[in-house]
Every structure is written in structure tokens, then in C-alpha cells.
Amino acid sequence: MMQRTILRKVLCAGCCAALLLGWFPFYAWSEGPELEKLSFLPTWRPQAQFAGYYVALEKGFYRREGIDLEIIPGGPDRSPRNYLVKRKADIVSMWLSTAVQLASDGVDIGHIAQVIQRSALMMVAGPGTGIHSLSDMDGKRVAMWPSDFQIQPMALFERHGLTVRPITLAGTLNLFLHGGADVALIMWYNEYDALRMYGMGPDRLYAVYFSETELNFPEDGLYVLGDTWFAREATLCRFVKASFEGWRYAFEHPEEAVDIVMVAMRRESVPASRSHQKWMLSCMQSLIRPAAGGRIGVLSETDYLRVAQVLEEGHRISGTPNFDYFSKGCMNDVSQ
Amino acid sequence: MFRNRGIAFKIGFSVLAGVVWIFFLAVATNYWFSRRMILTNLERSAETMTRSIVEHIDTVLAPIQKSTETSAVWLEHGEISESVLYSVLQDNVRNNAEIYGGAIAFEPYTFDPNRLYFSPYVCREEDRLKRISIGSSEYHYFYADWYALPRELRKTIWTDPYFDEGAGNILMATCATPFYRSDGEIRSMKGVVTADISLDWLQRIVQEIRVLKSGYGFLVTRNGVFVTHPHQDWIMNETLFSIEGPSGQVLKEVGHHMVAGETGWMPFRDPVTGAEGFLYYAPVQTTGWSLGVFFPGKEAMADIARLSTIVLFLGMAGLVFLGVVVWMIAGSITRPLSRLTEAVRTISTGNLDLPLPEPAAMDEVGVLSESVSRMQSSLKEYIRHLTETTAAKERIESELHIARDIQMGILPKSFPGPPECPRFCLYAALMPAKEVGGDLYDFFYLDGDHFCFVIGDVSGKGVPASLFMAITRTLIKTRSAAGIGPGQVLTLVNRDLAADNPSMMFVTLFIGILNLNDGRLAYANAGHNPPYRLLEEDGGIEPLVSETACPLGIMEDMEFVSHQAVLRPGQTLFLYTDGVTDAVDEQDRFFGEAPFEDVLRSHGKAHPQKLVETVLARVQAHAGAAPQFDDITLLALRFFGKDGGVCE
């Protein structure tokens, strides 16, 4: 009896060992090659403005490209400029105007893809302000976000000889809605729809779209430091490729994309309205689409020079940084 | 269809239809008024509840606003050291349980010319108070709503609720009041004093609102953002204007009112469950937020719906019961009626001896039954009388028939003519108006060459007239003799008739005596229609005129005159009584003389019998179905002369 029991134990142990040994090669294979770590800081908190990155991460497009990506949630206390310069993030999303200033300031910065091809910045005037044209804004109170957001409106006012009373604050809408500002600087894909959510529909607003003016600036672009580019060019280009793949998937599956974005928003306790995120995603599809003759993800030199010229005129930069150096070369592959 | 139904059905149907109509009208009216009453009460209680909650919220928030405003006034006067500022903040937080934290944020370089940011902040951390200095290159508090809004609006503001991660991700709101530096007339911005409060208690109050089973409350900011709502996903994520779909439309509609800070009551469909109901909304005065309380209509109306169902059920049961009662009452009325009807139907077939059903009571049916009984007796009496009368009438008719036979029997039936009487031929007919008539005709030979013929019409009809006629005929026959003129005959007969005529009857009479050898005609007329002489040669006719004389039997000493005329061979003399011309049709139009004369003219050459029958046929054709009122007597005599002729 005892012998049979021992024999059974031995047999069991043998089988287990065989199974473990048998699984080992598969386990080792599933780990695959080492994933390359990359960190990315979007311009702002999670929202559909960055749907392509969150979708690409969720759908495994980065892993497929051999990248273990960490998306650092953006926000008011996380400046992409600082994160890039202080190497807290490998890649950041920034406005072109910010990046050109950085380059002009001597920061070795590389542009690896242009996501938003035209300006989504706009100004709205509420009902009862008596503003029905740009010239009506003369002498009015204009609520504006700080720093680079003010480049275009101030240049526009200057070009049209208007003197306004700028009010700098982080959130332009509440002051505008409370009647403390006549004009608010907002983003088409975000606050313009938020106004609708607050009961102030587009029919009650007078709007100026910077994309329709001579101050049409490309906005969100992807940037790295120069040494990062030279050291990890292939990886960065795979990141860009996976990101645009994520955007394509998001536009083809908007409901799923919004779901993914909403999860990220909730994780960061960001207020998330589904209808608003859907609106934002649809805006992004329009903003990412290149102008006639352009290519997706590619920064045109014309746009670059236009932005640099305005910055020079505003004495924000002295001399236009070299475009060829500024614009790194992996977008051409992505756009194929 | 309804008309042919029985009385029980008609009564039952009419009563039930009326009752059903009244019943449903009553139920509907009751429901409508009850519903209005409930809605009015619901609105009142909604107003009371909502206002009390809003006031409760205000009683908590208002002192906090008061405290920041008091601090602002205090901060405007005098220079205060940093340590005092912290002490003030600590006292403020410690002494107000609702306040989570507080800050006194200064404008750049205002408190200290070397410090861009200066904002002491004290907040609760577990059981103690924590001091922090906020503001850095990473956090420009000048740009934050809690600082920028009071600065720009120059008044106390309440920020929209926000989730504060540092405080444990709880819902917070900040009350911020600006304070100023006064340099003479100029008041320049110095900073903002704030109080952060947790809104846990507020969420709890609103979440605990329960109206009936599924009613609830929700709070929105002045931008319409949901601060509390049973649908957790919407809190701080959605607004009254961002919900998609059909339910979103309802929210948008109410949203404009709520964001505008209005108070109101309106029909509302729950955007999540779709339940119909009503919404009462009122603003929180301190912050401008708005509280909505949903009252589920179906639940509010549940009692009245249940009551209406019960009333309807009872009503239907009552209607069934009423139907049975009506059917029974109608049956109790109509059953005796039916029995009576059946009896009357049997009686109507002739069975007058059938006993009628005994009436159960002396109601209308009992009276009807008695009336029918009386009618039955009357009918029996009447029929008995009618039977007797009919028997008597039949006897009289029988006797009249016999009298007619006798009368017709005394009239000559054998008409003379060729070949026995070659010199003339004659035909006569009498059609009495009743069974026996007062007309007469007669003819006879006075001798071998003289032929007498008579036609007369006794006044009145029937048996008396026929008897008078028989007397007259007998007298004529008795008084006529060869050698006596017709006028004399009439004179004698008149005297006989008038002598004893208590009934004052009279007779018009024409008598003619024809000399068969030469056609000379002696005649006398006692008030009778003059006969026509039909002229053979030209088809014409002419009356045998004579002076007017009164009928026989009236004046006893009346003398009648004989007249003379000549009948040429082939001519016909046609005698008639006034029954011919006075015959009337159904429209009481007389036959008249003109059609009569036309017949005579057109048939002047006909055989006397043919002539008589033609005239009769025309008269009967004129009369049609109209009853005959007078005797009709016709007599035609055609003279051939002594050489004789043939009647054709």
C-alpha cells in the first residue's frame, strides 16, 4: 500500500516537472524582445484631443512597434516645455509657436510630427456685448489664457489697430459666462462645445476663427530633444507611426475611441461628458486632415515660417531657427 | 331594429345606456377634479419641500460668505504680519466646522515687494490644521477662477464645485471675496480671501430627497453642470444641455429656466427612466446653483388611479345588478302584457269566449286588462246584435229580391216585332237602382191597329215606389181602351192616384198610342222627359215636345192634353227616364244629355235592342264603380209602316 503511494507521488512529481519544462520555452518566447520604454506628455489632461495616443496604447499599437509607452497625464501643473527640457518626458506634445520659441532660445529640440495642421484657437463674444465684428472688440475685456495662447490674439488686435483689455486667467469660460469678460479666447474643439453644454448655443455667439485669419498656426505637434532624436530615431518614428495608426483607428471607431478616452479621463478625475468628447474627436479629425497638397503628420515650411515671422514681429524670438534642423525626418515614412 | 324589440329590452337598454353615460361622466369628472386637486397639492408640497431645502442650503452657505466678507473688510484696514494672517486663517477654519480651508491671496508684490506670490493657506488635515503657502511658478494662482473671478467681477463669488484631490477627492466649492487697499479715493485690488467648503453635506441632503418611491432631487451649478444626480455618471461630467437623445430635449428646456435662476413647476419626463412627472426647481440664492426635485406623476396619481379602478369595478358590478333588476321589473310589466296580448290575439281570431288572464294588480296593465274584458263583452254584444241585424237585413233583402222578381215579372218581357208584328219592333229595359225600383214601362195593343206604350218614373225608390208603380201600371192598363186619347187616360189615372195618396207620391209618365197603319202617334206627357224621335233620313234626333204638365198623383183635377205626331216608317222613338242623364261617375259628374244624344244620333238605325243596350253600356261606362242612385229605364220603338219591315 505504502509503496504504491510513493510510486504515485513520484509519478506526479515527474509529470509536473515535465509540464513545467514543457511550458518554459513558450513562456520565454511570449516575453519576446525587450520593449523599449518611452514616456509621452500630452499638452493637457486626458481628453479626445489626444484620443490617438490613448487608443494606440489601449489597442497595443505601441507594443506591436516594440514600445512600452507611458502616457503622463497632462495638466496645468505639468508644462510640456519643462518636462521636455528637464527630461521628465521623452516626447511631448506642444504648440508649434512654443516649440519655435524653445528652439530660438537655444534648446536643441526636434519636431517629429505635426498633428494639428491648422489653428483651433478662436474668440467668441457673447450676446449683449454689442460685438458683431472684430473691430467691435476695441476697448473690450478679453479673457485669455496665459503665455503662448495670447500670441495670436494680441497679434491680431495689433494688426487691426485694436486696443483691448486683456484678462489673463486659466479658465476663460466662467468669467465670460458671469459677464466679467466680453470676449473669451477658447478652443474650437473644447470650450466652444462647452459653451453649448452650458446653454449658450453657437447661434448666440459671435466667433472669430484664427484658422480663417492670417494667423493660422498649426498647433499640437510632437517634439523630442535633439539628442533623443539622434539616439532613438527609429523608435521615435515607430512611436509616430503607431500614434497615427491610433488616430486612424479612433476616427474609424469613434464610439470605442471615446470609451477609451473616457476611461483615461475618469482615472484622472477629469470631468467627462461623452457628447463633448465625441464632438472633440470629430473636430480632431478635421484638424489633423492636412490642407490641400499637404500630407498627414507633416509640417509645411510655409506654416513654420509664418509662425516664426509672427513670433519675430512680437519680439518673442530673434531669428528664425533652421527649419531643416527643426523638422526631423520621420514623418515622411509615417505618411506613406 | 330597435323599434321591433320588446318593451323589456327597450326599457333595459335605455335605462342602462343612460346610467352608463351618467356613471362614466361622474367617474371622469371625479377623476379630473381629483387629479387637479392632487396636482395642486403636489405643487404646493413640492414648493414647500424645495424651498425648505434651498433655504437650508442657504443657511449653511450664507454665514460662510459672510465670514469671507467680514475678513475682507478687516483686511482692507491696516498692515498685518504673515503670522497674524495665518492666525486669522486658523481661527476662521477652526471656528467654522463647515470650512475645510481658507486662503488670503495677495496681488503680486502687494504684501511683500519682493514676493510675486503670497498666499497663506490653512486647511484641515485629519485632526489638526495645516499651513501652506500656495503659489509658485507651477501654480499661478492669479489665473485661477477663485482668484480671477472676484478680482474681475469685484464681488464675492462662489466657484463651481470641484473635486479636490488633496482633500481626499471630495466635492468642494470656494467662496472668494476681494479686498482692496484704499489710498484716498483710489481703491486698488489687494487680494482675495477665500473659504473652501466640503459639499458632502450638500450632496447628502440632495441625495436624501425622496419623493414617493422614485422621486429624487438634483443640484446643478449656474452653468447647468450636475453637482448631484441619482445617475452618478452625470455628476460633474454632464450638464443640463449636454445629454443627448429625446430625454436631453426635456433637460434643455428646463435647463434654461434653472440656469436663469428661476423658480418654477413644470411637467417633466425623467431623462433616465422615462417616467412622467413634474419638476419643481428653485435657485440657491447664495451661490446661484439650482435645485430640482422630481415628483413622479404616476406614483402621485396611484391612489386616484386605484380609486378610479375600484369605482369603475363597483360601477360595472352595479350596472350588472341594475341590468338584472331592470330586466326583472320590465319582465313583471311585460309578462302580463304578453299574456294579455296572446289572449287578445286569440280573441281577434273570433274566440270571444276566451277568459282573459286575471290581472295581478290594478295598475295600468290591470286597467288595460279590464278594458280589454269590457271590449270583449261589448264585442260579443255587438256581434250578437250584428248577427240579428244581419239576419233581418238578409230577410229584407230576400223580400226585396222577391219584390224585384215580382216587379220585373209584371213588366212585359216579350217584345213585339217582326215577324209576328211586322209593322214595328220594340225593346225596353229597366235597371233598378235598388232591388226594386220606381220606374216602369209597359206596352200593349189597344186593338189590332193601335199600340199603346208607356214609360214612367215614380218619385222615391224601393218597395213604396215599386208598389206605386204597380198601381200606376194597373191603372194605365185599366183606363186605356180603344178610342180614348192618351191625355184622357192620364187625366183618369191622375184622378185615381191623387184621390187616395197619403204618401204624396207621384209619377212622371209618358204615354203614346201609335197607329200602326199610318204612323200617327197620339201621346201625352205628365212631367216626364220628352222622348226622342230618331230621324232615319239624316241621322238627326228631335224631342217630342209638349206643354209642361205636372206628374200624376199631385193634382187630382189636372187635365192632360193629347198631342199628335207622326212616325214615318223607319223612324224610331226612344223613351227614357232621368236615370240615364242623371247617372254620375266617381267624381259626381252627370252623364248629361249631350253624350246621350250623341249615342242616339250615331246609333239611330240600330235595332231597338241594340240601341237600348248601347245606351246602357255607355251610361255604365260613365258611372264606372260609382253606385247607381236612380233607376234607369229605356224603351225604343221602331216603326216600319203598314208594309212592315225587319229589325236588324
Side-chain angles (χ1 to χ4, degrees):
Chain A
M1 193 72 179
M2 181 65 76
Q3 282 179 338
R4 283 181 67 187
T5 308
I6 291 167
L7 182 61
R8 191 177 291 168
K9 281 180 180 172
V10 170
L11 277 173
C12 282
C15 287
C16 290
L19 275 172
L20 279 170
L21 285 171
W23 272 110
F24 182 76
F26 292 104
Y27 174 75
W29 177 82
S30 68
E31 277 289 287
E34 189 75 16
L35 291 174
E36 197 170 345
K37 285 190 179 295
L38 268 182
S39 58
F40 166 61
L41 177 70
T43 323
W44 198 243
R45 292 184 177 118
Q47 56 184 2
Q49 184 185 353
F50 314 107
Y53 314 111
Y54 287 103
V55 167
L57 183 66
E58 178 68 24
K59 303 304 287 183
F61 297 163
Y62 293 121
R63 294 186 76 82
R64 202 168 59 200
E65 296 294 336
I67 298 168
D68 176 15
L69 183 75
E70 178 201 3
I71 298 179
I72 304 165
D77 51 349
R78 289 190 177 121
S79 158
R81 178 202 295 246
N82 291 344
Y83 267 60
L84 186 66
V85 173
K86 293 178 182 174
R87 297 182 185 276
K88 289 184 182 174
D90 299 319
I91 308 161
V92 297
S93 169
M94 279 194 302
W95 277 24
L96 179 61
S97 54
T98 309
V100 173
Q101 289 177 80
L102 266 181
S104 176
D105 289 347
V107 178
D108 183 10
I109 186 172
H111 173 275
I112 58 171
Q114 186 58 40
V115 182
I116 294 184
Q117 295 283 354
R118 59 186 168 91
S119 182
L121 194 68
M122 64 186 294
M123 290 188 293
V124 288
T129 57
I131 296 171
H132 306 291
S133 68
L134 187 64
S135 57
D136 288 339
M137 293 184 185
D138 194 30
K140 300 289 185 183
R141 297 166 299 172
V142 183
M144 291 190 280
W145 295 302
S147 69
D148 294 346
F149 290 104
Q150 299 186 2
I151 295 170
Q152 286 160 277
M154 293 313 287
L156 188 70
F157 292 137
E158 193 180 330
R159 288 185 181 195
H160 287 80
L162 305 176
T163 308
V164 300
R165 194 195 140 201
I167 304 168
T168 303
L169 72 174
T172 58
L173 284 190
N174 276 323
L175 188 66
F176 178 69
L177 290 167
H178 284 69
D182 305 305
V183 179
L185 188 66
I186 60 170
M187 300 306 298
W188 173 54
Y189 50 75
N190 194 355
E191 288 80 7
Y192 188 57
D193 187 57
L195 282 171
R196 176 193 63 80
M197 289 174 66
Y198 297 155
M200 191 175 283
D203 52 323
R204 299 171 64 194
L205 299 167
Y206 169 72
V208 175
Y209 297 86
F210 283 97
S211 60
E212 294 172 359
T213 68
E214 66 274 27
L215 296 160
N216 181 18
F217 285 11
E219 292 172 357
D220 295 4
L222 300 176
Y223 298 90
V224 295
L225 288 175
D227 56 355
T228 311
W229 168 256
F230 291 116
R232 305 171 71 180
E233 178 183 343
T235 310
L236 292 171
C237 285
R238 287 205 307 278
F239 164 79
V240 172
K241 181 186 173 195
S243 298
F244 279 97
E245 204 175 328
W247 278 115
R248 277 193 206 95
Y249 188 90
F251 299 143
E252 285 163 11
H253 307 87
E255 295 294 334
E256 187 184 351
V258 169
D259 284 341
I260 291 168
V261 170
M262 298 269 287
V263 168
M265 292 176 82
R266 292 204 175 104
R267 196 163 54 227
E268 296 299 321
S269 301
V270 179
S273 163
R274 187 174 185 80
S275 66
H276 182 54
Q277 294 307 313
K278 280 171 76 176
W279 157 268
M280 194 180 286
L281 184 62
S282 68
C283 290
M284 293 309 292
Q285 188 166 13
S286 165
L287 293 167
I288 289 175
R289 190 189 310 128
R295 285 188 300 193
I296 194 164
V298 177
L299 171 66
S300 84
E301 189 170 1
T302 315
D303 288 340
Y304 175 82
L305 293 175
R306 186 192 310 124
V307 173
Q309 186 192 343
V310 174
L311 291 172
E312 262 191 290
E313 284 171 7
H315 308 292
R316 287 177 175 267
I317 58 171
S318 51
T320 302
N322 181 274
F323 175 72
D324 293 332
Y325 184 79
F326 179 84
S327 175
K328 308 300 180 196
C330 74
M331 296 83 77
N332 293 341
D333 293 337
V334 173
S335 58
Q336 294 307 312
Chain B
M1 200 64 185
F2 184 78
R3 194 183 299 168
N4 298 330
R5 304 302 291 258
I7 291 173
F9 176 83
K10 284 179 183 169
I11 291 174
F13 184 82
S14 304
V15 169
L16 283 178
V19 170
V20 165
W21 193 83
I22 292 167
F23 172 70
F24 279 109
L25 190 69
V27 168
T29 309
N30 177 61
Y31 180 81
W32 190 78
F33 276 104
S34 305
R35 189 174 186 277
R36 209 172 64 166
M37 201 164 64
I38 285 176
L39 282 180
T40 307
N41 291 336
L42 196 66
E43 186 178 351
R44 280 200 199 114
S45 61
E47 184 180 1
T48 309
M49 176 194 270
T50 311
R51 281 184 185 280
S52 72
I53 295 169
V54 161
E55 281 165 15
H56 176 67
I57 295 169
D58 274 327
T59 55
V60 176
L61 297 179
I64 291 162
Q65 183 170 332
K66 197 76 188 166
S67 80
T68 61
E69 286 170 350
T70 307
S71 300
V73 171
W74 182 74
L75 284 163
E76 286 192 18
H77 301 92
E79 298 298 322
I80 302 158
S81 68
E82 187 173 346
S83 59
V84 174
L85 286 176
Y86 272 114
S87 300
V88 169
L89 285 171
Q90 277 178 328
D91 289 347
N92 221 7
V93 175
R94 189 180 295 119
N95 298 333
N96 290 284
E98 290 81 13
I99 297 180
Y100 168 79
I104 301 172
F106 284 81
E107 282 280 277
Y109 312 113
T110 303
F111 184 81
D112 181 347
N114 299 316
R115 293 164 80 172
L116 173 63
Y117 308 102
F118 182 69
S119 175
Y121 177 70
V122 172
C123 67
R124 295 175 191 277
E125 192 175 68
E126 295 173 354
D127 294 335
R128 60 190 185 86
L129 297 177
K130 187 172 79 172
R131 290 181 177 194
I132 310 169
S133 180
I134 54 177
S136 65
S137 61
E138 294 290 323
Y139 183 53
H140 306 275
Y141 62 76
F142 313 115
Y143 302 155
D145 271 2
W146 62 264
Y147 191 91
L149 261 62
R151 184 188 65 206
E152 297 300 327
L153 299 172
R154 304 179 74 81
K155 64 175 185 181
T156 302
I157 62 102
W158 282 86
T159 64
D160 281 350
Y162 55 91
F163 283 106
D164 189 285
E165 291 176 41
N169 212 21
I170 58 170
L171 196 66
M172 306 265 284
T174 299
C175 175
T177 306
F179 58 94
Y180 302 88
R181 181 206 312 272
S182 296
D183 288 335
E185 292 296 309
I186 303 166
R187 287 181 88 225
S188 56
M189 177 80 183
K190 199 171 167 187
V192 167
V193 56
T194 71
D196 301 338
I197 63 157
S198 160
L199 295 181
D200 271 357
W201 59 275
L202 178 60
Q203 283 187 300
R204 205 167 44 250
I205 287 175
V206 180
Q207 280 166 358
E208 282 173 0
I209 294 175
R210 282 285 174 273
V211 183
L212 302 169
K213 284 181 187 166
S214 61
Y216 59 86
F218 64 89
L219 189 76
V220 294
T221 67
R222 55 192 307 164
N223 292 340
V225 180
F226 288 103
V227 180
T228 70
H229 194 280
H231 195 57
Q232 296 289 328
D233 275 356
W234 290 1
I235 295 174
M236 301 306 292
N237 290 328
E238 302 287 357
T239 75
L240 288 165
F241 307 96
S242 68
I243 305 301
E244 294 173 319
S247 54
Q249 200 54 42
V250 185
L251 283 172
K252 284 185 184 71
E253 195 183 330
V254 75
H256 289 293
H257 296 290
M258 293 181 77
V259 166
E262 294 171 8
T263 300
W265 167 258
M266 63 184 288
F268 185 77
R269 184 205 293 267
D270 182 84
V272 179
T273 63
E276 298 282 353
F278 301 90
L279 185 79
Y280 196 92
Y281 50 91
V284 177
Q285 295 297 341
T286 317
T287 58
W289 304 338
S290 185
L291 176 72
V293 181
F294 173 64
F295 291 77
K298 201 173 176 182
E299 290 168 25
M301 297 295 161
D303 285 343
I304 186 181
R306 197 180 307 117
L307 179 67
S308 295
T309 309
I310 292 169
V311 167
L312 269 177
F313 176 76
L314 288 175
M316 297 305 287
L319 280 175
V320 172
F321 177 73
L322 184 67
V324 172
V325 170
V326 167
W327 180 77
M328 287 172 69
I329 291 174
S332 71
I333 294 170
T334 55
R335 262 193 303 280
L337 266 179
S338 300
R339 285 200 293 269
L340 197 60
T341 306
E342 193 56 41
V344 169
R345 190 177 292 137
T346 310
I347 289 168
S348 68
T349 59
N351 184 5
L352 290 172
D353 296 325
L354 181 79
L356 286 173
E358 279 298 317
M362 275 316 288
D363 52 9
E364 287 84 347
V365 179
V367 172
L368 179 65
S369 179
E370 195 181 77
S371 300
V372 171
S373 176
R374 249 197 322 272
M375 186 186 78
Q376 189 184 22
S377 306
S378 301
L379 268 177
K380 278 164 74 177
E381 181 62 26
Y382 175 75
I383 286 171
R384 189 187 59 75
H385 182 72
L386 189 65
T387 309
E388 289 174 0
T389 308
T390 307
K393 184 171 177 255
E394 282 175 351
R395 192 176 68 246
I396 290 167
E397 281 178 351
S398 171
E399 286 168 0
L400 280 172
H401 198 68
I402 294 164
R404 183 179 182 278
D405 288 348
I406 293 168
Q407 184 196 22
M408 298 308 286
I410 63 175
L411 293 175
K413 295 291 182 303
S414 175
F415 302 105
E420 293 86 6
C421 304
R423 288 176 291 184
F424 73 101
C425 68
L426 178 146
Y427 187 77
L430 189 152
M431 200 164 70
K434 292 188 175 177
E435 286 299 316
V436 286
D439 280 12
L440 70 101
Y441 74 84
D442 200 6
F443 50 82
F444 47 85
Y445 281 98
L446 294 176
D447 57 25
D449 293 328
H450 291 88
F451 182 73
C452 179
F453 53 94
V454 179
I455 190 166
D457 183 1
V458 178
S459 64
K461 294 165 187 72
V463 173
S466 71
L467 286 174
F468 200 77
M469 165 258 187
I471 293 165
T472 306
R473 181 179 173 273
T474 308
L475 286 171
I476 295 283
K477 208 150 194 173
T478 309
R479 292 297 185 184
S480 302
I484 300 174
Q488 197 176 356
V489 172
L490 291 188
T491 302
L492 292 171
V493 169
N494 177 54
R495 197 171 297 152
D496 293 341
L497 288 172
D500 189 13
N501 185 11
S503 305
M504 285 307 287
M505 296 187 75
F506 62 87
V507 56
T508 64
L509 197 118
F510 179 91
I511 182 167
I513 297 170
L514 179 67
N515 187 329
L516 298 173
N517 289 324
D518 53 14
R520 278 185 294 122
L521 174 68
Y523 65 94
N525 192 340
H528 197 79
N529 304 62
Y532 285 100
R533 182 166 51 179
L534 313 183
L535 306 175
E536 191 187 18
E537 57 269 26
D538 59 358
I541 59 169
E542 61 177 18
L544 281 182
V545 292
S546 54
E547 80 285 0
T548 306
C550 74
L552 302 178
I554 296 172
M555 296 170 66
E556 192 175 349
D557 53 354
M558 182 75 188
E559 292 289 337
F560 292 88
V561 179
S562 295
H563 299 274
Q564 294 296 326
V566 175
L567 282 180
R568 282 190 293 277
Q571 288 186 336
T572 302
L573 195 65
F574 194 88
L575 293 76
Y576 67 100
T577 58
D578 58 2
V580 174
T581 52
D582 291 350
V584 292
D585 63 8
E586 290 169 23
Q587 283 79 42
D588 288 339
R589 288 176 300 198
F590 291 109
F591 182 58
E593 292 181 351
F596 173 51
E597 288 176 355
D598 287 345
V599 177
L600 293 181
R601 281 192 195 96
S602 56
H603 292 78
K605 292 178 183 174
H607 187 282
Q609 182 177 354
K610 176 75 174 171
L611 183 58
V612 165
E613 286 171 355
T614 302
V615 172
L616 266 178
R618 290 295 296 272
V619 172
Q620 284 171 340
H622 172 75
Q628 184 185 339
F629 287 109
D630 202 1
D631 296 345
I632 296 171
T633 303
L634 303 166
L635 186 150
L637 183 151
R638 190 169 191 186
F639 178 66
F640 297 125
K642 66 180 180 182
D643 297 335
V646 179
C647 270
E648 295 170 345

